[in-house]
Amino acid sequence: MSGFEHPVKVRLFAGVMYGVEDFFQQVVSELQTSFGRVAFKSTSFDFDFTEYYDAEMGSGLKKIFLGFEELVDP
């Protein structure tokens, strides 16, 4: 019979879509307040795969992925 094992801690990450750089910086600040320091970020890329978000967020959107430093219990 096996016993209880604590799961391995995981790294939180977020995919952030944005159109205005100033708003993106504000979002990063809010995320760091909630989840801690950003450990890594991907390069941003044009999110031009769909027009689905254009009505709400405008066109010319970018996307970036952020990973947070602190590991957490899943």
Side-chain angles (χ1 to χ4, degrees):
M1 178 179 241
S2 66
F4 175 78
E5 293 183 26
H6 289 284
V8 175
K9 291 190 174 195
V10 297
R11 184 172 314 278
L12 295 175
F13 72 94
V16 179
M17 201 164 32
Y18 63 97
V20 178
E21 185 69 30
D22 290 344
F23 292 152
F24 169 69
Q25 296 304 328
Q26 186 176 350
V27 167
V28 171
S29 179
E30 293 286 330
L31 288 170
Q32 288 188 114
T33 297
S34 296
F35 303 115
R37 201 173 102 161
V38 171
F40 66 89
K41 61 183 176 178
S42 70
T43 56
S44 63
F45 58 92
D46 293 334
F47 190 81
D48 56 6
F49 309 104
T50 179
E51 296 175 1
Y52 180 82
Y53 300 99
D54 288 1
E56 185 176 351
M57 298 180 69
S59 60
L61 297 175
K62 303 241 183 241
K63 189 160 193 174
I64 192 168
F65 292 95
L66 308 171
F68 298 92
E69 193 170 82
E70 184 177 348
L71 300 178
V72 298
D73 287 324

mmCIF file of all heavy atoms in Angstrom, residues 28-68:
data_model
loop_
_atom_site.group_PDB
_atom_site.id
_atom_site.type_symbol
_atom_site.label_atom_id
_atom_site.label_comp_id
_atom_site.label_asym_id
_atom_site.label_seq_id
_atom_site.Cartn_x
_atom_site.Cartn_y
_atom_site.Cartn_z
ATOM 1 N N VAL A 28 1.640 43.774 -15.624
ATOM 2 C CA VAL A 28 2.784 43.052 -15.041
ATOM 3 C C VAL A 28 2.943 43.443 -13.575
ATOM 4 O O VAL A 28 3.152 42.587 -12.710
ATOM 5 C CB VAL A 28 4.083 43.309 -15.827
ATOM 6 C CG1 VAL A 28 5.287 42.741 -15.092
ATOM 7 C CG2 VAL A 28 3.985 42.710 -17.219
ATOM 8 N N SER A 29 2.816 44.708 -13.274
ATOM 9 C CA SER A 29 2.919 45.175 -11.893
ATOM 10 C C SER A 29 1.846 44.540 -11.020
ATOM 11 O O SER A 29 2.119 44.073 -9.908
ATOM 12 C CB SER A 29 2.809 46.703 -11.860
ATOM 13 O OG SER A 29 2.875 47.169 -10.539
ATOM 14 N N GLU A 30 0.618 44.494 -11.512
ATOM 15 C CA GLU A 30 -0.489 43.874 -10.760
ATOM 16 C C GLU A 30 -0.250 42.374 -10.566
ATOM 17 O O GLU A 30 -0.491 41.834 -9.479
ATOM 18 C CB GLU A 30 -1.820 44.091 -11.483
ATOM 19 C CG GLU A 30 -2.278 45.525 -11.524
ATOM 20 C CD GLU A 30 -2.798 46.008 -10.182
ATOM 21 O OE1 GLU A 30 -3.325 45.191 -9.416
ATOM 22 O OE2 GLU A 30 -2.669 47.209 -9.909
ATOM 23 N N LEU A 31 0.225 41.697 -11.602
ATOM 24 C CA LEU A 31 0.498 40.266 -11.490
ATOM 25 C C LEU A 31 1.601 39.996 -10.468
ATOM 26 O O LEU A 31 1.515 39.043 -9.687
ATOM 27 C CB LEU A 31 0.864 39.678 -12.851
ATOM 28 C CG LEU A 31 -0.273 39.546 -13.855
ATOM 29 C CD1 LEU A 31 0.271 39.193 -15.235
ATOM 30 C CD2 LEU A 31 -1.287 38.518 -13.394
ATOM 31 N N GLN A 32 2.630 40.831 -10.458
ATOM 32 C CA GLN A 32 3.718 40.645 -9.496
ATOM 33 C C GLN A 32 3.237 40.896 -8.068
ATOM 34 O O GLN A 32 3.703 40.242 -7.135
ATOM 35 C CB GLN A 32 4.898 41.551 -9.840
ATOM 36 C CG GLN A 32 5.627 41.082 -11.071
ATOM 37 C CD GLN A 32 6.898 41.836 -11.343
ATOM 38 O OE1 GLN A 32 7.965 41.228 -11.263
ATOM 39 N NE2 GLN A 32 6.813 43.106 -11.659
ATOM 40 N N THR A 33 2.310 41.807 -7.890
ATOM 41 C CA THR A 33 1.730 42.038 -6.565
ATOM 42 C C THR A 33 1.013 40.771 -6.081
ATOM 43 O O THR A 33 1.098 40.407 -4.914
ATOM 44 C CB THR A 33 0.741 43.221 -6.596
ATOM 45 O OG1 THR A 33 1.466 44.401 -6.943
ATOM 46 C CG2 THR A 33 0.069 43.420 -5.258
ATOM 47 N N SER A 34 0.344 40.096 -6.993
ATOM 48 C CA SER A 34 -0.422 38.904 -6.629
ATOM 49 C C SER A 34 0.416 37.630 -6.560
ATOM 50 O O SER A 34 0.193 36.785 -5.696
ATOM 51 C CB SER A 34 -1.557 38.680 -7.629
ATOM 52 O OG SER A 34 -2.472 39.738 -7.581
ATOM 53 N N PHE A 35 1.379 37.478 -7.477
ATOM 54 C CA PHE A 35 2.064 36.196 -7.624
ATOM 55 C C PHE A 35 3.567 36.237 -7.406
ATOM 56 O O PHE A 35 4.232 35.210 -7.498
ATOM 57 C CB PHE A 35 1.772 35.608 -9.004
ATOM 58 C CG PHE A 35 0.311 35.445 -9.277
ATOM 59 C CD1 PHE A 35 -0.304 36.167 -10.279
ATOM 60 C CD2 PHE A 35 -0.467 34.588 -8.517
ATOM 61 C CE1 PHE A 35 -1.659 36.035 -10.528
ATOM 62 C CE2 PHE A 35 -1.821 34.444 -8.744
ATOM 63 C CZ PHE A 35 -2.423 35.164 -9.749
ATOM 64 N N GLY A 36 4.123 37.402 -7.142
ATOM 65 C CA GLY A 36 5.563 37.520 -6.921
ATOM 66 C C GLY A 36 6.305 37.916 -8.176
ATOM 67 O O GLY A 36 5.725 38.154 -9.236
ATOM 68 N N ARG A 37 7.587 37.968 -8.031
ATOM 69 C CA ARG A 37 8.472 38.446 -9.098
ATOM 70 C C ARG A 37 8.425 37.568 -10.342
ATOM 71 O O ARG A 37 8.335 36.344 -10.263
ATOM 72 C CB ARG A 37 9.889 38.482 -8.554
ATOM 73 C CG ARG A 37 10.812 39.388 -9.324
ATOM 74 C CD ARG A 37 12.106 39.479 -8.614
ATOM 75 N NE ARG A 37 13.025 38.614 -9.345
ATOM 76 C CZ ARG A 37 14.320 38.689 -9.257
ATOM 77 N NH1 ARG A 37 14.881 39.528 -8.426
ATOM 78 N NH2 ARG A 37 15.083 37.907 -9.970
ATOM 79 N N VAL A 38 8.506 38.209 -11.506
ATOM 80 C CA VAL A 38 8.566 37.485 -12.778
ATOM 81 C C VAL A 38 9.977 36.928 -12.936
ATOM 82 O O VAL A 38 10.959 37.649 -12.860
ATOM 83 C CB VAL A 38 8.215 38.420 -13.963
ATOM 84 C CG1 VAL A 38 8.489 37.735 -15.294
ATOM 85 C CG2 VAL A 38 6.765 38.857 -13.877
ATOM 86 N N ALA A 39 10.075 35.612 -13.132
ATOM 87 C CA ALA A 39 11.369 34.947 -13.289
ATOM 88 C C ALA A 39 11.816 34.943 -14.745
ATOM 89 O O ALA A 39 12.999 34.996 -15.035
ATOM 90 C CB ALA A 39 11.289 33.516 -12.769
ATOM 91 N N PHE A 40 10.870 34.849 -15.661
ATOM 92 C CA PHE A 40 11.215 34.857 -17.075
ATOM 93 C C PHE A 40 10.018 35.320 -17.890
ATOM 94 O O PHE A 40 8.885 35.260 -17.429
ATOM 95 C CB PHE A 40 11.684 33.477 -17.561
ATOM 96 C CG PHE A 40 10.611 32.430 -17.533
ATOM 97 C CD1 PHE A 40 9.779 32.242 -18.628
ATOM 98 C CD2 PHE A 40 10.443 31.617 -16.437
ATOM 99 C CE1 PHE A 40 8.783 31.270 -18.600
ATOM 100 C CE2 PHE A 40 9.454 30.639 -16.397
ATOM 101 C CZ PHE A 40 8.625 30.474 -17.488
ATOM 102 N N LYS A 41 10.306 35.810 -19.062
ATOM 103 C CA LYS A 41 9.246 36.163 -19.994
ATOM 104 C C LYS A 41 9.681 35.803 -21.398
ATOM 105 O O LYS A 41 10.867 35.853 -21.731
ATOM 106 C CB LYS A 41 8.857 37.628 -19.884
ATOM 107 C CG LYS A 41 9.944 38.618 -20.176
ATOM 108 C CD LYS A 41 9.428 40.039 -19.960
ATOM 109 C CE LYS A 41 10.540 41.034 -20.162
ATOM 110 N NZ LYS A 41 10.080 42.397 -20.004
ATOM 111 N N SER A 42 8.720 35.414 -22.196
ATOM 112 C CA SER A 42 9.004 35.096 -23.592
ATOM 113 C C SER A 42 9.163 36.404 -24.364
ATOM 114 O O SER A 42 8.899 37.486 -23.836
ATOM 115 C CB SER A 42 7.850 34.275 -24.189
ATOM 116 O OG SER A 42 6.691 35.083 -24.344
ATOM 117 N N THR A 43 9.560 36.292 -25.587
ATOM 118 C CA THR A 43 9.509 37.476 -26.444
ATOM 119 C C THR A 43 8.046 37.677 -26.828
ATOM 120 O O THR A 43 7.285 36.709 -26.952
ATOM 121 C CB THR A 43 10.371 37.293 -27.706
ATOM 122 O OG1 THR A 43 9.930 36.121 -28.388
ATOM 123 C CG2 THR A 43 11.835 37.160 -27.354
ATOM 124 N N SER A 44 7.649 38.918 -26.984
ATOM 125 C CA SER A 44 6.274 39.175 -27.397
ATOM 126 C C SER A 44 6.145 38.877 -28.890
ATOM 127 O O SER A 44 7.122 38.962 -29.642
ATOM 128 C CB SER A 44 5.861 40.610 -27.079
ATOM 129 O OG SER A 44 6.644 41.519 -27.796
ATOM 130 N N PHE A 45 4.946 38.505 -29.303
ATOM 131 C CA PHE A 45 4.718 38.215 -30.712
ATOM 132 C C PHE A 45 3.361 38.773 -31.119
ATOM 133 O O PHE A 45 2.484 38.987 -30.280
ATOM 134 C CB PHE A 45 4.821 36.702 -30.997
ATOM 135 C CG PHE A 45 3.868 35.851 -30.200
ATOM 136 C CD1 PHE A 45 2.617 35.523 -30.702
ATOM 137 C CD2 PHE A 45 4.235 35.370 -28.946
ATOM 138 C CE1 PHE A 45 1.750 34.725 -29.969
ATOM 139 C CE2 PHE A 45 3.367 34.569 -28.216
ATOM 140 C CZ PHE A 45 2.125 34.252 -28.725
ATOM 141 N N ASP A 46 3.220 39.047 -32.386
ATOM 142 C CA ASP A 46 1.948 39.547 -32.909
ATOM 143 C C ASP A 46 0.883 38.468 -32.752
ATOM 144 O O ASP A 46 1.095 37.315 -33.141
ATOM 145 C CB ASP A 46 2.072 39.928 -34.387
ATOM 146 C CG ASP A 46 2.974 41.122 -34.597
ATOM 147 O OD1 ASP A 46 3.103 41.948 -33.671
ATOM 148 O OD2 ASP A 46 3.553 41.234 -35.694
ATOM 149 N N PHE A 47 -0.247 38.851 -32.175
ATOM 150 C CA PHE A 47 -1.359 37.920 -32.030
ATOM 151 C C PHE A 47 -2.337 38.210 -33.166
ATOM 152 O O PHE A 47 -3.354 38.878 -33.000
ATOM 153 C CB PHE A 47 -2.020 38.076 -30.657
ATOM 154 C CG PHE A 47 -3.000 36.983 -30.366
ATOM 155 C CD1 PHE A 47 -2.559 35.755 -29.908
ATOM 156 C CD2 PHE A 47 -4.352 37.172 -30.571
ATOM 157 C CE1 PHE A 47 -3.464 34.727 -29.652
ATOM 158 C CE2 PHE A 47 -5.259 36.158 -30.313
ATOM 159 C CZ PHE A 47 -4.825 34.934 -29.859
ATOM 160 N N ASP A 48 -2.002 37.703 -34.338
ATOM 161 C CA ASP A 48 -2.792 37.983 -35.533
ATOM 162 C C ASP A 48 -3.431 36.724 -36.119
ATOM 163 O O ASP A 48 -3.706 36.636 -37.306
ATOM 164 C CB ASP A 48 -1.931 38.696 -36.578
ATOM 165 C CG ASP A 48 -0.672 37.917 -36.928
ATOM 166 O OD1 ASP A 48 -0.507 36.772 -36.447
ATOM 167 O OD2 ASP A 48 0.155 38.460 -37.678
ATOM 168 N N PHE A 49 -3.716 35.768 -35.241
ATOM 169 C CA PHE A 49 -4.283 34.491 -35.674
ATOM 170 C C PHE A 49 -5.791 34.567 -35.868
ATOM 171 O O PHE A 49 -6.381 33.712 -36.506
ATOM 172 C CB PHE A 49 -3.965 33.386 -34.660
ATOM 173 C CG PHE A 49 -2.506 33.329 -34.310
ATOM 174 C CD1 PHE A 49 -2.053 33.831 -33.100
ATOM 175 C CD2 PHE A 49 -1.576 32.817 -35.188
ATOM 176 C CE1 PHE A 49 -0.712 33.801 -32.769
ATOM 177 C CE2 PHE A 49 -0.232 32.788 -34.868
ATOM 178 C CZ PHE A 49 0.195 33.284 -33.653
ATOM 179 N N THR A 50 -6.420 35.580 -35.253
ATOM 180 C CA THR A 50 -7.869 35.720 -35.297
ATOM 181 C C THR A 50 -8.228 37.190 -35.112
ATOM 182 O O THR A 50 -7.425 37.961 -34.596
ATOM 183 C CB THR A 50 -8.538 34.868 -34.195
ATOM 184 O OG1 THR A 50 -9.942 35.038 -34.252
ATOM 185 C CG2 THR A 50 -8.042 35.261 -32.808
ATOM 186 N N GLU A 51 -9.411 37.543 -35.524
ATOM 187 C CA GLU A 51 -9.935 38.889 -35.291
ATOM 188 C C GLU A 51 -10.959 38.882 -34.156
ATOM 189 O O GLU A 51 -11.640 39.871 -33.921
ATOM 190 C CB GLU A 51 -10.549 39.432 -36.579
ATOM 191 C CG GLU A 51 -9.528 39.611 -37.687
ATOM 192 C CD GLU A 51 -10.148 40.032 -39.003
ATOM 193 O OE1 GLU A 51 -11.379 40.219 -39.065
ATOM 194 O OE2 GLU A 51 -9.397 40.167 -39.977
ATOM 195 N N TYR A 52 -11.064 37.772 -33.469
ATOM 196 C CA TYR A 52 -12.073 37.574 -32.429
ATOM 197 C C TYR A 52 -12.034 38.672 -31.357
ATOM 198 O O TYR A 52 -13.065 39.118 -30.886
ATOM 199 C CB TYR A 52 -11.865 36.196 -31.783
ATOM 200 C CG TYR A 52 -12.852 35.879 -30.691
ATOM 201 C CD1 TYR A 52 -14.121 35.394 -31.006
ATOM 202 C CD2 TYR A 52 -12.527 36.051 -29.350
ATOM 203 C CE1 TYR A 52 -15.034 35.093 -30.010
ATOM 204 C CE2 TYR A 52 -13.427 35.757 -28.357
ATOM 205 C CZ TYR A 52 -14.682 35.279 -28.689
ATOM 206 O OH TYR A 52 -15.586 34.991 -27.705
ATOM 207 N N TYR A 53 -10.851 39.118 -30.959
ATOM 208 C CA TYR A 53 -10.714 40.078 -29.859
ATOM 209 C C TYR A 53 -10.719 41.542 -30.321
ATOM 210 O O TYR A 53 -10.702 42.450 -29.502
ATOM 211 C CB TYR A 53 -9.421 39.806 -29.084
ATOM 212 C CG TYR A 53 -9.384 38.431 -28.483
ATOM 213 C CD1 TYR A 53 -8.688 37.404 -29.110
ATOM 214 C CD2 TYR A 53 -10.056 38.145 -27.299
ATOM 215 C CE1 TYR A 53 -8.658 36.124 -28.560
ATOM 216 C CE2 TYR A 53 -10.033 36.875 -26.752
ATOM 217 C CZ TYR A 53 -9.333 35.877 -27.388
ATOM 218 O OH TYR A 53 -9.308 34.617 -26.856
ATOM 219 N N ASP A 54 -10.732 41.778 -31.617
ATOM 220 C CA ASP A 54 -10.616 43.142 -32.145
ATOM 221 C C ASP A 54 -11.707 44.082 -31.632
ATOM 222 O O ASP A 54 -11.419 45.228 -31.296
ATOM 223 C CB ASP A 54 -10.622 43.135 -33.671
ATOM 224 C CG ASP A 54 -9.338 42.584 -34.265
ATOM 225 O OD1 ASP A 54 -8.441 42.183 -33.488
ATOM 226 O OD2 ASP A 54 -9.240 42.539 -35.504
ATOM 227 N N ALA A 55 -12.944 43.634 -31.573
ATOM 228 C CA ALA A 55 -14.044 44.508 -31.151
ATOM 229 C C ALA A 55 -13.851 44.985 -29.715
ATOM 230 O O ALA A 55 -14.153 46.129 -29.383
ATOM 231 C CB ALA A 55 -15.379 43.778 -31.284
ATOM 232 N N GLU A 56 -13.325 44.124 -28.863
ATOM 233 C CA GLU A 56 -13.153 44.474 -27.447
ATOM 234 C C GLU A 56 -11.802 45.110 -27.155
ATOM 235 O O GLU A 56 -11.695 46.017 -26.338
ATOM 236 C CB GLU A 56 -13.318 43.217 -26.591
ATOM 237 C CG GLU A 56 -13.278 43.482 -25.112
ATOM 238 C CD GLU A 56 -13.545 42.237 -24.278
ATOM 239 O OE1 GLU A 56 -13.919 41.194 -24.833
ATOM 240 O OE2 GLU A 56 -13.365 42.320 -23.047
ATOM 241 N N MET A 57 -10.743 44.636 -27.811
ATOM 242 C CA MET A 57 -9.391 45.061 -27.454
ATOM 243 C C MET A 57 -8.681 45.851 -28.551
ATOM 244 O O MET A 57 -7.587 46.342 -28.332
ATOM 245 C CB MET A 57 -8.541 43.833 -27.092
ATOM 246 C CG MET A 57 -9.065 43.071 -25.893
ATOM 247 S SD MET A 57 -8.041 41.639 -25.477
ATOM 248 C CE MET A 57 -6.552 42.435 -24.900
ATOM 249 N N GLY A 58 -9.269 45.934 -29.731
ATOM 250 C CA GLY A 58 -8.622 46.623 -30.843
ATOM 251 C C GLY A 58 -7.751 45.669 -31.637
ATOM 252 O O GLY A 58 -7.550 44.519 -31.268
ATOM 253 N N SER A 59 -7.225 46.165 -32.735
ATOM 254 C CA SER A 59 -6.360 45.335 -33.578
ATOM 255 C C SER A 59 -4.899 45.586 -33.214
ATOM 256 O O SER A 59 -4.591 46.453 -32.411
ATOM 257 C CB SER A 59 -6.611 45.650 -35.052
ATOM 258 O OG SER A 59 -6.322 47.006 -35.301
ATOM 259 N N GLY A 60 -4.022 44.829 -33.815
ATOM 260 C CA GLY A 60 -2.592 44.990 -33.553
ATOM 261 C C GLY A 60 -2.170 44.459 -32.190
ATOM 262 O O GLY A 60 -1.249 44.984 -31.571
ATOM 263 N N LEU A 61 -2.840 43.404 -31.725
ATOM 264 C CA LEU A 61 -2.538 42.853 -30.403
ATOM 265 C C LEU A 61 -1.218 42.095 -30.391
ATOM 266 O O LEU A 61 -0.779 41.555 -31.407
ATOM 267 C CB LEU A 61 -3.664 41.920 -29.962
ATOM 268 C CG LEU A 61 -5.024 42.576 -29.771
ATOM 269 C CD1 LEU A 61 -6.071 41.523 -29.454
ATOM 270 C CD2 LEU A 61 -4.979 43.630 -28.680
ATOM 271 N N LYS A 62 -0.616 42.055 -29.235
ATOM 272 C CA LYS A 62 0.608 41.285 -28.977
ATOM 273 C C LYS A 62 0.312 40.297 -27.855
ATOM 274 O O LYS A 62 -0.614 40.481 -27.078
ATOM 275 C CB LYS A 62 1.736 42.210 -28.542
ATOM 276 C CG LYS A 62 2.053 43.297 -29.530
ATOM 277 C CD LYS A 62 3.472 43.136 -29.981
ATOM 278 C CE LYS A 62 3.841 44.261 -30.920
ATOM 279 N NZ LYS A 62 4.198 43.758 -32.204
ATOM 280 N N LYS A 63 1.135 39.270 -27.755
ATOM 281 C CA LYS A 63 1.003 38.301 -26.669
ATOM 282 C C LYS A 63 2.382 37.968 -26.140
ATOM 283 O O LYS A 63 3.357 37.941 -26.885
ATOM 284 C CB LYS A 63 0.301 37.033 -27.142
ATOM 285 C CG LYS A 63 -0.058 36.094 -25.997
ATOM 286 C CD LYS A 63 -1.129 35.127 -26.401
ATOM 287 C CE LYS A 63 -1.679 34.431 -25.176
ATOM 288 N NZ LYS A 63 -2.819 33.589 -25.485
ATOM 289 N N ILE A 64 2.437 37.700 -24.845
ATOM 290 C CA ILE A 64 3.687 37.344 -24.178
ATOM 291 C C ILE A 64 3.358 36.372 -23.057
ATOM 292 O O ILE A 64 2.258 36.405 -22.495
ATOM 293 C CB ILE A 64 4.405 38.608 -23.652
ATOM 294 C CG1 ILE A 64 5.829 38.289 -23.210
ATOM 295 C CG2 ILE A 64 3.608 39.263 -22.533
ATOM 296 C CD1 ILE A 64 6.676 39.528 -22.958
ATOM 297 N N PHE A 65 4.291 35.506 -22.732
ATOM 298 C CA PHE A 65 4.124 34.577 -21.614
ATOM 299 C C PHE A 65 5.090 34.957 -20.502
ATOM 300 O O PHE A 65 6.259 35.257 -20.762
ATOM 301 C CB PHE A 65 4.369 33.134 -22.069
ATOM 302 C CG PHE A 65 3.308 32.641 -23.006
ATOM 303 C CD1 PHE A 65 3.479 32.703 -24.382
ATOM 304 C CD2 PHE A 65 2.115 32.141 -22.508
ATOM 305 C CE1 PHE A 65 2.500 32.273 -25.247
ATOM 306 C CE2 PHE A 65 1.116 31.700 -23.369
ATOM 307 C CZ PHE A 65 1.305 31.768 -24.732
ATOM 308 N N LEU A 66 4.596 34.946 -19.270
ATOM 309 C CA LEU A 66 5.382 35.275 -18.085
ATOM 310 C C LEU A 66 5.408 34.076 -17.156
ATOM 311 O O LEU A 66 4.392 33.406 -16.978
ATOM 312 C CB LEU A 66 4.759 36.460 -17.333
ATOM 313 C CG LEU A 66 4.444 37.714 -18.131
ATOM 314 C CD1 LEU A 66 3.649 38.688 -17.281
ATOM 315 C CD2 LEU A 66 5.720 38.355 -18.622
ATOM 316 N N GLY A 67 6.542 33.798 -16.540
ATOM 317 C CA GLY A 67 6.665 32.761 -15.524
ATOM 318 C C GLY A 67 7.108 33.407 -14.223
ATOM 319 O O GLY A 67 7.987 34.272 -14.223
ATOM 320 N N PHE A 68 6.505 33.009 -13.126
ATOM 321 C CA PHE A 68 6.782 33.636 -11.843
ATOM 322 C C PHE A 68 7.796 32.827 -11.036
ATOM 323 O O PHE A 68 7.840 31.610 -11.109
ATOM 324 C CB PHE A 68 5.480 33.837 -11.069
ATOM 325 C CG PHE A 68 4.548 34.746 -11.800
ATOM 326 C CD1 PHE A 68 3.598 34.243 -12.671
ATOM 327 C CD2 PHE A 68 4.658 36.111 -11.675
ATOM 328 C CE1 PHE A 68 2.761 35.080 -13.380
ATOM 329 C CE2 PHE A 68 3.834 36.968 -12.372
ATOM 330 C CZ PHE A 68 2.878 36.439 -13.238
#
